[in-house]
Amino acid sequence: MGFAKRWCAVLGCVLPAVLLMASGAVRAMDSASALPRTLVLGTYPSELPSEELEKIKPIRAGLERRFLAAGHRVDIEIQIFQSYEEAIQGLVAGKVDFARMGPVNYVLAKEQKPSLRLLAMETQNGLRLLTGYIFVPANSPVRTLKDLRGKTFAFGSHNSTTGRYYPQAALVEAGIYASDLAGYRYLHRHDKVLKGVSDGGFDAGASNEVTFRKLGAGKKLRAIHTMKSPAHAWVARADLPTAVADMLVLSLLGLSAVELELLSRDGLVAATDADFDRVRQVMKRAERFIE
């Protein structure tokens, strides 16, 4: 039984004789199965692009092995966009076949392209959560969010979950608005935020847990507030053939903790769009930061 028929028997799918190519880069096709030999995985760096590439390489290898075990050889190319915004537009425009997206970026992409398909979401210790911190220098007198009135603040990207939306929502809940700060800036990457606060350029900042745990102690930083968000999403472009998307789901859910270790994750699980409704609520609250 051929590859396509075997997968359809398992998944209950119906494959057309010929699948239309994506509007992006032309992909080589396997004439026996009419499925792409190449898939493009999109992501964006929260730290250095080279570090992001190293984190994704074991995942690429794991997915390729699982496709091959199912009878189809696929080469996965990694596209690292320079910014969160570019990654959103790349997925929406179909320039990549699937992508790893932060919670806010998934929500923003879904708003622009409702037909995007959510494939899975990440877990750590069995929890589908992304943790972030608001932090200050270890010797700072600041103890609570309310103490940040009149201080300077470093955010990450404009579209960052733990670098922008969640900390701004937390500040609003504490009664701190943009006009209450002495100043603030967007530094685009989490590692740059930690450096900015550590070097004395800002009184406080916000980042994801992974970057803070890796760099925070060495830079003598202290967390004053913890944020919890739904975890990263893995999303397929809107017109990715259903059979390919189904295979990606099974392959992603089958990834091991070892393959996900460099992302500081231990698994992926099935998810629905409703799992990100909490993110949407926080985003609305964060809009009040600039009154």
Side-chain angles (χ1 to χ4, degrees), residues 210-226:
V210 173
T211 306
F212 182 79
R213 290 194 179 280
K214 182 169 70 174
L215 303 176
K219 293 186 178 297
K220 298 181 179 180
L221 300 173
R222 168 172 51 84
I224 62 169
H225 183 77
T226 301

Side-chain angles (χ1 to χ4, degrees), residues 247-289:
M247 286 185 283
L248 277 172
V249 169
L250 293 180
S251 298
L252 286 166
L253 298 185
L255 288 173
S256 69
V258 172
E259 292 163 325
L260 294 163
E261 183 177 8
L262 294 182
L263 285 180
S264 298
R265 301 290 182 261
D266 56 17
L268 285 103
V269 296
T272 67
D273 183 71
D275 291 322
F276 295 87
D277 284 346
R278 181 155 42 111
V279 178
R280 296 179 173 97
Q281 295 169 3
V282 170
M283 291 172 69
K284 288 182 179 179
R285 194 177 311 134
E287 291 176 357
R288 297 169 50 203
F289 176 68

Side-chain angles (χ1 to χ4, degrees), residues 163-174:
R164 186 258 176 116
Y165 279 96
Y166 269 69
Q168 289 186 358
L171 289 171
V172 167
E173 289 180 349

Side-chain angles (χ1 to χ4, degrees), residues 25 38-42 60 64 75-79 96-98:
T38 302
L39 293 173
V40 182
L41 163 59
R60 173 179 65 185
E64 289 177 347
D75 295 318
I76 296 177
E77 299 177 357
I78 300 173
Q79 171 70 54
V96 297
D97 295 298
F98 66 115

Side-chain angles (χ1 to χ4, degrees), residues 68-81:
L68 187 59
H72 183 62
R73 178 175 178 175
V74 63
D75 295 318
I76 296 177
E77 299 177 357
I78 300 173
Q79 171 70 54
I80 298 181
F81 292 97

